[in-house]
């Protein structure tokens, strides 16, 4: 039977940073490390929104990226 082991996670916030000369959106990405597996989705969304409220740029999206070892 396959096993998994949580190695770590990051919270990635993507902000709309403006538009280029072709009026295409430009994005800025901020990554916050040391997210552990006990943090709930609700808690991460709450923290992401609180961090984003400190920025002058609008929040486009938020992601949790996990690294897991398979064996």
């Amino acid at each position: 039977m396959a096993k998994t082991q949580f190695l770590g996670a990051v919270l990635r916030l993507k902000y709309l940073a403006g538009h280029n000369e072709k009026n295409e959106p430009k994005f800025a990405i901020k990554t916050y490390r040391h997210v552990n597996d006990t943090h709930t989705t609700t808690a991460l969304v709450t923290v992401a929104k609180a961090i984003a409220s400190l920025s002058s740029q609008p929040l486009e999206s938020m992601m949790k990226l996990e690294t897991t070892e398979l064996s």
Side-chain angles (χ1 to χ4, degrees):
M1 180 174 199
K3 295 181 182 179
T4 62
Q5 180 181 353
F6 177 83
L7 298 177
V10 297
L11 179 64
R12 184 174 286 175
L13 304 182
K14 182 177 174 183
Y15 296 95
L16 180 60
H19 293 83
N20 65 15
E21 59 280 344
K22 294 180 182 178
N23 205 27
E24 298 168 335
K26 295 190 309 185
F27 299 103
I29 296 175
K30 301 294 181 186
T31 303
Y32 301 92
R33 302 189 188 290
H34 306 294
V35 174
N36 65 40
D37 58 342
T38 61
H39 295 129
T40 66
T41 302
T42 303
L44 290 174
V45 169
T46 301
V47 168
K49 287 180 179 181
I51 293 170
S53 72
L54 301 173
S55 175
S56 61
Q57 300 170 330
L59 182 64
E60 180 71 21
S61 66
M62 56 187 107
M63 299 187 316
K64 177 184 174 188
L65 304 171
E66 290 186 10
T67 303
T68 306
E69 184 177 283
L70 306 174
S71 58

